[in-house]
Amino acid sequence: MENEHLIVHLHPKGAELRQLKGKKTGINYLWSGDPAWWGKTSPVLFPIVGTLRDNSYTYQGKTYSLPRHGFARDKRFMVEQSSPLAANFLLQDDSETREVYPFSFQFHVFYALIEDRLSVRYTVVNTGPDTLWFSVGAHPAFAVPPTGVADAGDYEDHYLQFDRSDALVRYKLSDGLISDETETITLDNHVLRLNAGLFSEDAIVLKGLPDQHIRLLGWKHMNGIEFSWQDFPFFGIWAPAGAPFVCLEPWCGIADSVHHDKELTRKEGIRSLGPGDYFAREWSVRCF
C-alpha cells in the first residue's frame, strides 16, 4: 500500500504489518523483525490475548490447548481486497482451528491509508449457531530510535507521552499470568521514559487506561508516531530487555490470572457474540 505520505508492506501470514515507512521522512517507524531480538513485527492476537493457565482452557466439559496469543498470527489469511490505499484479509475456521477452538467464525483485518495515518480494523463475525467466545488484540512494535533518523540518540533518549494519565497501575505477570501484585508507575507530566529496566519483569499490563492516544517521541529529534485506539479495555507495553523497539498493544482480552479456573466463559475480558452478530475495533498510527 502506498500514498504520498506512507509506504506499507503487509503479509498474508498473520495478516501482519511488516513495514511502515514515511515517504517524505525516509524513516522506517516499524520494528524490522530481526529474530535476534524478536522475529515478528505486528502480530494479530486472536482468539485469545496473552497466556492461558497451563496453555489450556475448558469449554462445555472439554479441554483445549492454545498457544500464547492464539493461532491467528501464524495462520495464512485470504486476501479479500488489495489496492494502493486499502487491504482486507480474512481468516475463517477450518478443521484445524476447530480442533483447538470449537467455534465457527470469520475474522477480518482491514488496513487503510488516510493521509499520514494507517488505520487497522479488526472485525469478528459469528458464523455458527452458538455463542462465540473470543478475545482480540494488537501487538505492533515500533523501532526505537526510528530507523533513518540521524543523531536520534539511544533508547533512553525516547519516551511515551500519554494524553491523560499521571500514573500507570501495572498488573504484574507471573510466568505470563496476571498475578495478585500491582505496581504504580508515576509519570512526569504524562511522560514515561523508556529504558530497558521497564521490561525486566515482562510487559507492563494496564487495565482501564483512560488514554486514547500515546505519542512515541525522542528528546533529540522531532520525528515520531501518534498511536490511537478506542474501546480496548486493556493495554500492554512491552519489549525484550535491551531490544531496540517498543510494542504498544491495545487488547480486548487479557492473560489468565494465576487463580483462573480455566473455564473460557469465565475468563477475564472474554467477549461473546450471538449467532450472526459481529464485533469491530480499530486502532491507528500517525507518522511524522
Side-chain angles (χ1 to χ4, degrees), residues 52-69:
L52 297 172
R53 188 179 172 196
D54 299 325
N55 291 314
S56 65
Y57 68 93
T58 60
Y59 177 71
Q60 294 186 342
K62 293 185 64 176
T63 298
Y64 301 87
S65 295
L66 278 175
R68 186 178 190 180
H69 294 321

Side-chain angles (χ1 to χ4, degrees), residues 22-97:
K23 289 182 72 173
K24 296 179 181 179
T25 63
I27 295 170
N28 285 316
Y29 296 91
L30 201 68
W31 163 241
S32 67
D34 182 351
W37 290 105
W38 188 54
K40 295 187 179 294
T41 53
S42 182
V44 174
L45 316 183
F46 177 86
I48 60 166
V49 170
T51 303
L52 297 172
R53 188 179 172 196
D54 299 325
N55 291 314
S56 65
Y57 68 93
T58 60
Y59 177 71
Q60 294 186 342
K62 293 185 64 176
T63 298
Y64 301 87
S65 295
L66 278 175
R68 186 178 190 180
H69 294 321
F71 51 68
R73 61 183 182 166
D74 295 314
K75 299 286 284 186
R76 190 172 186 90
F77 282 62
M78 178 189 303
V79 181
E80 285 197 306
Q81 174 192 0
S82 178
S83 74
L85 297 180
N88 192 49
F89 296 85
L90 170 65
L91 179 67
Q92 300 186 88
D93 63 284
D94 56 26
S95 58
E96 187 177 75
T97 67

Side-chain angles (χ1 to χ4, degrees), residues 211-280:
D211 306 79
Q212 295 183 347
H213 310 281
I214 293 176
R215 303 181 91 195
L216 172 58
L217 302 167
W219 303 111
K220 297 184 176 182
H221 61 91
M222 300 297 292
N223 301 104
I225 63 165
E226 182 177 70
F227 189 85
S228 303
W229 70 97
Q230 277 189 314
D231 298 324
F232 288 87
F234 308 100
F235 201 91
I237 306 171
W238 174 79
F245 64 86
V246 64
C247 293
L248 303 178
E249 308 175 41
W251 302 329
C252 288
I254 196 170
D256 281 352
S257 81
V258 294
H259 305 295
H260 183 49
D261 64 5
K262 301 172 68 170
E263 168 58 40
L264 183 66
T265 61
R266 291 192 289 268
K267 178 176 171 58
E268 183 179 9
I270 199 73
R271 297 282 175 154
S272 63
L273 276 180
D277 288 345
Y278 75 94
F279 171 96

